Amino acid sequence: MRQLIAGNWKMFGLTQEAAAIATPLLAAGPLGRDLLVCPPATQIAAVARILAGSPVAIGGQDCHTEVQGAHTGDISAAMLRDAGASHVILGHSERRQNHGETDELVQAKVRAAVAAGLTPIVCVGESDAERQAGWETGVVGKQLKGSLPDDFAGIIAYEPLWAIGTGRTATEGDVAAMHRFIRETLARRFGAAGESISILYGGSVRPANAASLLAVPHVGGALVGGASLNAGQFLEIARA
Ligand code: PGA
């Protein structure tokens, strides 16, 4: 299975900035890994135009559970797809924390994304306090159980909260243990299908640590925040 390097731009990227990140990706050449960029919703269509005909895929960062309706300010999976997206990040910890998203809501969004033809990337991860208490697998296990529908076909991203945007990366040992736990959990629930679900690692992935993190067993790629806002760094990670 090819590894996926996904860039989560979060709430960054006016028109010129988005073009400056996306345009150099056209000249990336063969990488041996797949690339995905997830710009803010306002830039999806523009980035899709820039990257048209290239192998770089485009994703959203969230979607609503419904196809359309009276939901001021929300964006449906069908709208993301219509703008040029093939993927969508769901249940990112910033949405779970800042918007009170529950596992149940994330699961409803996963169903909506799949119904619209998008590949969901479902984020899970424990807080610092939860890890200190030794609850990390319990927390992640509960998130997987609640956030994934029984017919799940998509991607998982393990992002320990204490590693996001902090420069504090999980050790290879932490990542290996958690990715093995997630793989076993998926295999128990989904059987053979669970073996082929990609599990990305996210949290302060940088060019300097990418090669070692991407070499850990059961790591199917990276979900990159800060470093994905710089095309050079993003491509260095993809080549690591
Ligand atoms: P970071 O963000 O790479 O800036 O730590 C990762 C993420 O939140 O997806």
Side-chain angles (χ1 to χ4, degrees):
M1 203 171 13
R2 272 162 72 95
Q3 289 186 316
L4 173 68
I5 308 299
N8 172 12
W9 295 8
K10 307 191 179 186
M11 200 171 73
F12 293 97
L14 301 178
T15 303
Q16 270 194 344
E17 295 159 341
I21 303 167
T23 307
L25 305 181
L26 290 170
L31 293 167
R33 293 189 172 114
D34 294 326
L35 286 188
L36 167 71
V37 291
C38 301
T42 50
Q43 293 300 325
I44 289 176
V47 170
R49 273 193 297 276
I50 291 170
L51 295 175
S54 85
V56 184
I58 297 152
Q61 301 176 11
D62 175 48
C63 70
H64 196 271
T65 56
E66 290 175 32
V67 178
Q68 57 180 25
H71 303 289
T72 303
D74 283 316
I75 294 174
S76 74
M79 290 168 179
L80 294 176
R81 170 101 188 177
D82 182 51
S86 54
H87 292 65
V88 62
I89 298 169
L90 294 172
H92 189 281
S93 62
E94 286 152 15
R95 296 213 56 92
R96 290 180 186 265
Q97 285 187 315
N98 303 343
H99 297 267
E101 294 200 1
T102 61
D103 292 334
E104 191 183 21
L105 179 67
V106 174
Q107 182 175 148
K109 291 183 173 194
V110 170
R111 293 177 192 281
V114 172
L118 296 179
T119 300
I121 301 175
V122 178
C123 301
V124 296
E126 82 287 356
S127 69
D128 200 15
E130 287 161 344
R131 179 167 281 268
Q132 296 305 328
W135 296 342
E136 64 273 17
T137 52
V139 168
V140 168
K142 184 167 173 287
Q143 289 172 333
L144 290 171
K145 188 167 195 284
S147 304
L148 307 183
D150 286 333
D151 57 354
F152 180 70
I155 296 169
I156 305 293
Y158 168 57
E159 299 203 304
L161 272 61
W162 44 272
I164 295 177
T166 59
R168 199 180 135 203
T169 318
T171 65
E172 287 159 49
D174 292 340
V175 175
M178 184 58 84
H179 279 243
R180 190 181 323 111
F181 168 77
I182 294 173
R183 172 66 69 222
E184 287 167 3
T185 304
L186 295 173
R188 251 196 321 277
R189 177 157 172 205
F190 302 110
E195 302 283 356
S196 59
I197 293 172
S198 250
I199 310 166
L200 312 182
Y201 168 77
S204 297
V205 177
R206 304 277 184 270
N209 59 28
S212 53
L213 289 166
L214 289 168
V216 173
H218 300 297
V219 170
L223 182 53
V224 185
S228 75
L229 296 172
N230 177 301
Q233 286 194 23
F234 188 57
L235 287 173
E236 265 190 76
I237 291 169
R239 292 194 180 105

